[in-house]
């Protein structure tokens, strides 16, 4: 018996498998912030006290870490637009930190921020494509 192309299917269409990229980015984000707090934060505070680092760079360092955590939370809550904005701002602040202080974890923070931005945009495009079908 052939299927009627004009009749809706009797079985439910299966959803595409969920991507694990958001989870990987969240794990990387938490590791980044943990390592920054344990490794770079004490030296950044000391450098600011000594005058080797401007206070605005210390503020950018703190905001970069905070925005990475906010972006990770938004990815977990499936808010891709908010996550993309947070990761983009985190990348911007990490680039500001890199302009004055060449901390190795600022490079990884910039990279994780850009990857988080791409994952958020990809999630948003997937959600838009699912709504259109």
């Amino acid at each position: 018996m052939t299927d009627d192309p004009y009749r809706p299917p009797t079985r439910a269409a299966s959803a595409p498998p969920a991507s694990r990229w958001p989870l990987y980015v969240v794990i990387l984000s938490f590791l980044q912030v943990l390592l920054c707090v344990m490794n770079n934060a004490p030296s950044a505070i000391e450098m600011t006290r000594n005058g080797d680092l401007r206070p605005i760079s210390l503020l950018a360092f703190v905001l970069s870490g905070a925005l990475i955590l906010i972006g990770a939370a938004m990815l977990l809550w499936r808010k891709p637009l908010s996550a993309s904005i947070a990761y983009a701002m985190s990348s911007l602040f990490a680039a500001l930190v890199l302009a004055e202080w060449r901390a190795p974890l600022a490079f990884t923070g910039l990279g994780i921020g850009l990857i988080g931005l791409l994952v958020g945009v990809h999630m948003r495009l997937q959600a838009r494509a699912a709504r259109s079908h």
Side-chain angles (χ1 to χ4, degrees):
M1 179 176 224
T2 61
D3 289 327
D4 185 9
Y6 301 106
R7 175 178 272 178
T10 56
R11 61 183 182 276
S14 62
S19 174
R20 292 197 179 257
W21 273 103
L23 180 64
Y24 298 149
V25 172
V26 167
I27 291 170
L28 284 175
S29 298
F30 283 119
L31 285 174
Q32 166 72 20
V33 171
L34 180 69
L35 288 173
C36 266
V37 166
M38 293 176 61
N39 191 20
N40 285 351
S43 62
I45 292 170
E46 188 63 31
M47 288 172 65
T48 304
R49 283 185 188 153
N50 294 337
D52 296 332
L53 187 66
R54 293 184 304 174
I56 194 76
S57 296
L58 181 64
L59 180 65
F61 175 73
V62 170
L63 287 174
S64 175
L67 286 167
I68 277 185
L69 288 179
I70 291 170
M74 292 298 124
L75 278 182
L76 284 178
W77 288 327
R78 300 283 184 211
K79 306 279 186 194
L81 181 61
S82 300
S84 298
I85 292 169
Y87 276 119
M89 290 174 59
S90 172
S91 297
L92 176 69
F93 285 123
L96 289 174
V97 170
L98 282 173
E100 183 177 352
W101 181 35
R102 301 282 184 203
L105 287 175
F107 287 109
T108 59
L110 179 64
I112 291 171
L114 292 175
I115 291 170
L117 171 67
L118 292 175
V119 168
V121 168
H122 179 71
M123 284 175 61
R124 184 157 166 87
L125 291 175
Q126 278 184 335
R128 184 178 289 167
R131 280 194 310 260
S132 68
H133 286 110

